[in-house]
């Protein structure tokens, strides 16, 4: 399967106003004015008409993660591969595809019990990003072909999720980490796989072994900006708006991202960083990392 990028996400929210404030005034995303006034909140960051669709709900959680394939042929090929793997999927209706600004999509459930979509041909409107807080650009590649960022998801069965994403979805292995938070030698600990799709971003998906429920049904998402100053200004806005800081500034070992983590209105964390590694996969050798950060990323320190 030729997955090219993390295209869009849908988030359920009990308070769209809170998400609007957080998305625009803290992260610097733009309300997607070209999207229909259908009661949902759409946030954009680049040439794509939106990247975040926030829908009213009685829950605060990540609902859907959507992956892009390059065109109809690749889409039909992807469906054949889902069928061959025994994955039952539902084809979206024309209306649902129009609502997403894509030519077509299917939805299904992954082994971590997350709702996943595969789509093709998002209709770009090329409107300029006018960030309300002056973010010049988000790093998403040419016409958004590196996707909106990356996402880390919990799974109670890491082996099954890893097998699904590498063998059925065609993701590539990038790095593996192992954590033992208790320090007990009889504790099997928790594994974390980092996977890439067919773009240079170091990883688009991370899978974290954890059977416990996660706030907002997600570990974290990441969006990337162009320089340290844009991260610094965002940290000032985090304090100004009294957003909870999850970790202080730090630098990751594997993707070299310099970033902070802050709490979204859905309860999961948003990583906001710059300088993430871009990789030529033809010559890359997968790694196993013993530590997540070369410096910083201290919990609870803004
Ligand atoms: Fe991350």
């Amino acid at each position: 399967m030729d997955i090219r990028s993390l295209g869009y996400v849908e988030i359920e929210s009990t308070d769209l106003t809170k998400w609007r404030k957080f998305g625009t005034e803290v992260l610097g995303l733009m309300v997607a004015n070209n999207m229909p006034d259908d009661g949902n909140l759409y946030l954009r960051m680049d040439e794509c008409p939106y990247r975040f669709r926030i829908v009213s709900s009685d829950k605060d959680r990540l609902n859907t993660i959507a992956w892009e394939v390059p065109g109809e042929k690749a889409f039909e090929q992807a469906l054949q591969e889902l069928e061959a793997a025994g994955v039952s999927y539902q084809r979206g209706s024309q209306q649902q595809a129009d609502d997403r600004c894509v030519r077509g999509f299917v939805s299904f459930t992954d082994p971590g019990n997350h709702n996943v979509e595969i789509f093709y041909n998002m209709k770009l409107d090329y409107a300029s990003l006018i960030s309300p807080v002056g973010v010049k650009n988000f790093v998403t590649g040419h016409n958004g072909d590196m996707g909106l960022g990356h996402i880390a998801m919990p799974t109670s069965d890491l082996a099954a999720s890893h097998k699904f994403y590498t063998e059925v979805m065609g993701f590539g292995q990038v790095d593996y980490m192992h954590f033992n938070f208790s320090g007990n030698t009889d504790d099997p600990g928790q594994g974390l796989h980092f996977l890439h799709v067919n773009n240079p971003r170091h990883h688009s998906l991370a899978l974290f072994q954890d059977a416990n429920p996660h706030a907002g049904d997600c570990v974290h998402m990441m969006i990337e900006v162009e320089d340290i100053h844009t991260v610094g200004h965002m940290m000032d806005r985090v304090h100004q708006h009294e957003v909870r800081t999850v970790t202080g500034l730090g630098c990751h070992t594997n993707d070299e991202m310099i970033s902070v983590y802050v709490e979204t209105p859905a309860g999961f964390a948003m990583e906001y960083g710059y300088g993430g590694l871009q990789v030529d996969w033809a010559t890359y050798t997968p790694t196993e990392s013993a530590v997540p950060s070369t410096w910083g990323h201290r919990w609870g320190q803004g």
Side-chain angles (χ1 to χ4, degrees):
M1 204 176 290
D2 185 6
I3 302 286
R4 292 293 173 92
S5 72
L6 172 59
Y8 57 86
V9 292
E10 181 178 293
I11 296 166
E12 296 178 47
S13 172
T14 56
D15 189 345
L16 290 187
T17 308
K18 213 169 161 186
W19 257 107
R20 179 186 293 257
K21 265 182 102 69
F22 176 76
T24 58
E25 294 176 29
V26 179
L27 302 181
L29 300 167
M30 176 186 175
V31 171
N33 297 323
N34 290 347
M35 294 301 290
D37 186 11
D38 58 4
N40 300 323
L41 169 65
Y42 295 90
L43 297 171
R44 67 180 295 149
M45 64 198 309
D46 59 9
E47 291 84 349
C48 296
Y50 74 98
R51 293 292 202 168
F52 297 83
R53 181 173 56 193
I54 325 277
V55 302
S56 282
S57 170
D58 57 357
K59 297 185 192 76
D60 285 295
R61 63 183 291 271
L62 182 80
N63 176 311
T64 300
I65 307 164
W67 300 99
E68 179 180 24
V69 292
E72 188 170 11
K73 218 172 149 188
F75 182 67
E76 294 302 331
Q77 174 72 28
L79 301 193
Q80 282 178 22
E81 290 174 27
L82 287 176
E83 283 162 26
V87 178
S88 62
Y89 60 81
Q90 281 197 308
R91 223 179 244 267
S93 68
Q94 187 61 53
Q95 182 61 53
Q96 289 172 318
D98 290 345
D99 291 346
R100 287 160 174 73
C101 300
V102 300
R103 180 73 66 183
F105 78 98
V106 291
S107 59
F108 55 91
T109 305
D110 78 0
N113 212 26
H114 306 298
N115 188 36
V116 175
E117 292 179 2
I118 293 176
F119 72 92
Y120 71 103
N121 290 23
M122 185 173 247
K123 291 161 196 165
L124 308 182
D125 65 8
Y126 301 98
S128 300
L129 175 74
I130 303 170
S131 165
V133 293
V135 174
K136 288 197 196 88
N137 278 304
F138 290 93
V139 176
T140 63
H142 176 67
N143 289 338
D145 63 2
M146 279 173 46
L148 70 88
H150 70 230
I151 190 158
M153 296 299 292
T155 174
S156 57
D157 188 340
L158 184 64
S161 290
H162 185 253
K163 191 175 161 67
F164 176 76
Y165 278 99
T166 54
E167 294 183 13
V168 181
M169 297 279 281
F171 288 36
Q173 181 72 16
V174 181
D175 186 40
Y176 177 74
M177 285 181 197
H178 191 262
F179 298 97
N180 182 337
F181 295 109
S182 70
N184 299 329
T185 47
D186 55 351
D187 179 351
Q190 290 159 281
L192 179 58
H193 279 293
F194 295 82
L195 305 175
H196 73 87
V197 294
N198 291 333
N199 75 55
R201 196 184 289 284
H202 178 272
H203 59 279
S204 290
L205 177 69
L207 298 168
F208 182 52
Q209 170 83 53
D210 196 355
N212 297 314
H214 275 249
D217 294 339
C218 172
V219 180
H220 76 263
M221 293 185 63
M222 186 286 299
I223 56 175
E224 185 173 357
V225 291
E226 290 182 320
D227 57 39
I228 186 67
H229 302 292
T230 312
V231 177
H233 287 306
M234 181 270 196
M235 290 166 75
D236 281 351
R237 297 193 299 273
V238 163
H239 288 284
Q240 187 190 334
H241 290 276
E242 299 180 347
V243 170
R244 197 174 80 84
T245 303
V246 180
T247 78
L249 193 69
C251 179
H252 279 305
T253 47
N254 62 14
D255 71 351
E256 301 176 11
M257 178 82 69
I258 295 182
S259 58
V260 292
Y261 289 70
V262 301
E263 190 176 84
T264 68
F268 61 78
M270 180 68 76
E271 181 181 7
Y272 200 86
Y274 90 101
L277 208 58
Q278 295 183 18
V279 178
D280 174 3
W281 299 114
T283 56
Y284 183 77
T285 303
T287 49
E288 184 158 335
S289 300
V291 289
S293 304
T294 53
W295 53 266
H297 286 140
R298 287 181 187 82
W299 287 92
Q301 294 185 9

